[in-house]
Amino acid sequence: MSATRALPRVLTVAGSDSGGGAGIQADLKTMLALGTHGMSVITAVTAQNSLGVQGAWELPVEAVRAQYRSVVDDIGVSAVKTGMLASAELVEAVAELIGGTDAPAVVDPVGVSKHGDALLAATALDSVRTKLLPVATVATPNLDEVAQLTGVRVESEDGLRRAAAAVLAYGPAWVLIKGGHLPGEAVDLLTDGSEEHWLRAPRHDNRHTHGTGCTLASAIACGLAKGQSVPEAAAAAKEYVTGAIAEGFALGGGIGPVDHGWRFRR
């Protein structure tokens, strides 16, 4: 491929989901669907299916650092996205790597899986607050993660501004507070502390939503890699993930994944 046709390059730093619905697998599918070249730094291997996480094995920090340097130093990146970073040691190493990389970073502060399985050690929370969030171009916590990180609990749309302010206090340039756990339409608040963008979409009656958060964060990273502004990237990502949720399908005996290829199948 000629240099003029080079694809935007997006790097995901996250855990592997053996069931293919979330984590590295969801990220790479999203990146392909949105016309970018996806690359990966695997931070953990999980034994995971539609019923939950049966086991998780963290990779050594030196393995994570080596993967990152290997990709960035040769291929280069247009945007970075982070997902499951299980320990304080990993969080701090990845924060340092991102801080030294001249590319926008989308931080999905993954704390708990869709099934309620803990994916972040309690001891790592302070590292997320003090090291990882300050290097984020956009942080994308859901309401459970907001509560975990800040203590702020949101019961209605009115609380989203308070949640955003609490997360922004840790230093990300932008925060997207995902209100998907609230009743009513699916509303998210994107803000940098001065401008606000309310992203609304109809709520689809579909329980097969595994991988939603990973997919949204990856889609934002794809938009940033293409040169979009944060509000443009977030709006496009919201549209993509809403379609993916609508087309989510049954897989195994539990919660199935969103459909990353829904646009190809329409």
Side-chain angles (χ1 to χ4, degrees):
M1 179 181 285
S2 69
T4 53
R5 292 189 58 223
L7 294 174
R9 292 145 295 162
V10 187
L11 176 63
T12 169
V13 184
S16 166
D17 171 4
S18 54
I24 289 278
Q25 288 80 354
D27 298 340
L28 293 175
K29 291 173 188 177
T30 300
M31 291 165 192
L32 178 65
L34 297 180
T36 67
H37 174 67
M39 305 170 292
S40 62
V41 170
I42 297 176
T43 60
V45 175
T46 69
Q48 189 173 163
N49 56 26
S50 70
L51 300 173
V53 180
Q54 291 80 43
W57 298 268
E58 192 182 313
L59 264 70
V61 167
E62 57 267 29
V64 171
R65 192 177 280 117
Q67 290 175 81
Y68 191 99
R69 289 264 60 93
S70 178
V71 171
V72 174
D73 294 347
D74 172 46
I75 300 169
V77 295
S78 313
V80 180
K81 176 260 176 187
T82 72
M84 178 185 176
L85 305 173
S87 67
E89 198 184 6
L90 267 180
V91 169
E92 290 174 17
V94 170
E96 184 184 342
L97 289 164
I98 288 173
T101 305
D102 185 20
V106 180
V107 169
D108 185 18
V110 176
V112 180
S113 79
K114 184 73 71 183
H115 304 88
D117 305 289
L119 299 176
L120 181 72
T123 52
L125 282 170
D126 200 50
S127 298
V128 172
R129 295 182 192 106
T130 61
K131 300 285 200 301
L132 190 59
L133 289 176
V135 298
T137 308
V138 193
T140 63
N142 63 29
L143 299 183
D144 290 340
E145 289 154 358
V146 168
Q148 219 180 5
L149 289 165
T150 70
V152 172
R153 299 195 177 278
V154 177
E155 307 295 338
S156 68
E157 193 177 308
D158 294 342
L160 293 177
R161 277 197 184 100
R162 196 162 41 94
V167 178
L168 283 171
Y170 290 115
W174 290 81
V175 64
L176 179 68
I177 303 292
K178 299 179 293 194
H181 294 176
L182 295 174
E185 66 180 348
V187 59
D188 307 322
L189 172 60
L190 174 73
T191 179
D192 63 353
S194 57
E195 59 180 276
E196 283 184 354
H197 301 268
W198 293 85
L199 306 178
R200 299 179 185 277
R203 183 176 298 278
H204 294 285
D205 184 20
N206 185 358
R207 73 188 190 94
H208 300 299
T209 55
H210 185 49
T212 307
C214 306
T215 300
L216 180 67
S218 292
I220 294 171
C222 289
L224 297 178
K226 294 173 181 176
Q228 294 174 355
S229 68
V230 170
E232 288 169 340
K238 175 80 168 181
E239 183 187 353
Y240 170 70
V241 82
T242 300
I245 291 169
E247 301 297 329
F249 54 92
L251 199 68
I255 299 172
V258 301
D259 184 0
H260 297 96
W262 66 273
R263 283 182 174 153
F264 305 141
R265 287 186 260 279
R266 275 280 167 96

